[in-house]
Amino acid sequence: MRESGRVAIVTGASRGIGRAIALELARRGHVVMVNYRSNSEAAETVVAEIEAIGGQALAVQADVSQMADANSLAKTAKDAFGAIHILVNNAGIARDGLLMRMSEADWDAVLSTNLKGAFNCVKAVQRTMLRQRWGRIISIGSVVGLSGNAGQANYAAAKAGLVGFTKAVARELGSRKITANLVAPGFIETDMTAVLDDKVRAAACEQIPLGAMGQPEDVAAAVAFLVSNEAAYITGQVLCVDGGMAM
């Protein structure tokens, strides 16, 4: 299949890692559906950035934790461009706190967006991918899902769940040339890490063999490889983009 011109849905694409993924896929010639939940201005800015480099994009509002919204997102992509080749499950939230103090609402919110959201989106796109006998599904996990982290029981559980989910999807859909892989970032310079004080950042970097936080573009490059023709024989895998942190 010709690599450029594929249709990609990137959830949570209005900022941070999602934005970097959307821009990188656009640079490689893909049409990008820039999904957002609430910040339409930021999403439209990403669309404008893509159009400025000669790409094609469309901003689409959807709360992926809701099945109806995920179905609407997929339908919009199919109606607008006739196909869905790539799904990047990037949308995620954090509600950190020690387990003793974590509310049921905080647990449910994180699991609903970070894990159920991926389920909803794969359900929404899989029929199209099965019919076209080709697809790439990438979920953005976290090294926290592999190692755990104090104060993030909900986030770690959701990201760990994505590992098992990805492997199950890879087994179920592989016969139709649909691959499913997970990219697990470590500490990446985003809005979520920008709030960390210098002491916490220094302590984090001490745990990273490469000695520094990564950039959103590092994650985007890994995603771009996994959706490419060169990665056609890679499925059910976890790729850590973490400077060696999870070794």
Side-chain angles (χ1 to χ4, degrees):
M1 178 181 284
R2 183 171 62 92
E3 190 153 347
S4 63
R6 292 173 181 161
V7 179
I9 296 174
V10 183
T11 68
S14 64
R15 62 190 179 94
I17 291 173
R19 170 185 171 275
I21 293 169
L23 286 168
E24 183 61 28
L25 294 182
R27 289 189 191 98
R28 298 188 183 218
H30 302 306
V31 177
V32 183
M33 307 291 291
V34 178
N35 162 251
Y36 68 97
R37 184 177 64 174
S38 58
N39 195 337
S40 60
E41 184 177 352
E44 291 295 350
T45 298
V46 176
V47 170
E49 289 178 286
I50 289 172
E51 292 174 343
I53 60 174
Q56 187 176 6
L58 180 66
V60 184
Q61 192 280 332
D63 178 352
V64 298
S65 71
Q66 304 299 312
M67 182 66 82
D69 278 24
N71 286 333
S72 177
L73 176 61
K75 184 177 187 302
T76 299
K78 188 74 182 295
D79 289 349
F81 303 111
I84 302 169
H85 301 105
I86 298 164
L87 169 66
V88 182
N89 290 311
N90 171 73
I93 62 172
R95 297 286 187 273
D96 296 349
L98 294 175
L99 186 61
M100 183 177 292
R101 299 172 183 168
M102 185 175 291
S103 69
E104 183 179 2
D106 285 343
W107 174 273
D108 288 346
V110 171
L111 270 291
S112 291
T113 297
N114 299 17
L115 183 56
K116 187 187 175 191
F119 164 79
N120 289 344
C121 289
V122 172
K123 286 279 286 184
V125 307
Q126 69 172 351
R127 197 174 299 275
T128 296
M129 288 185 176
L130 287 167
R131 287 194 183 118
Q132 66 198 18
R133 291 180 174 270
W134 199 95
R136 297 281 193 269
I137 298 169
I138 309 294
S139 292
I140 305 302
S142 170
V143 294
V144 167
L146 305 177
S147 64
N149 193 36
Q152 289 191 305
N154 48 4
Y155 190 80
K159 296 301 187 180
L162 280 177
V163 174
F165 176 70
T166 295
K167 291 178 181 292
V169 170
R171 289 184 180 276
E172 288 191 24
L173 305 184
S175 64
R176 297 295 182 93
K177 295 185 178 179
I178 300 169
T179 66
N181 293 287
L182 182 138
V183 175
F187 278 103
I188 305 295
E189 295 277 10
T190 65
D191 292 347
M192 292 177 72
T193 57
V195 300
L196 301 176
D197 62 37
D198 291 343
K199 186 176 180 180
V200 172
R201 291 170 67 89
C205 288
E206 287 179 2
Q207 305 302 313
I208 303 170
L210 290 184
M213 290 189 178
Q215 299 299 316
E217 290 75 19
D218 296 321
V219 181
V223 171
F225 167 67
L226 288 171
V227 305
S228 71
N229 289 339
E230 285 76 12
Y233 202 56
I234 300 173
T235 196
Q237 301 305 305
V238 174
L239 174 58
C240 292
V241 181
D242 65 349
M245 181 180 172
M247 277 194 295

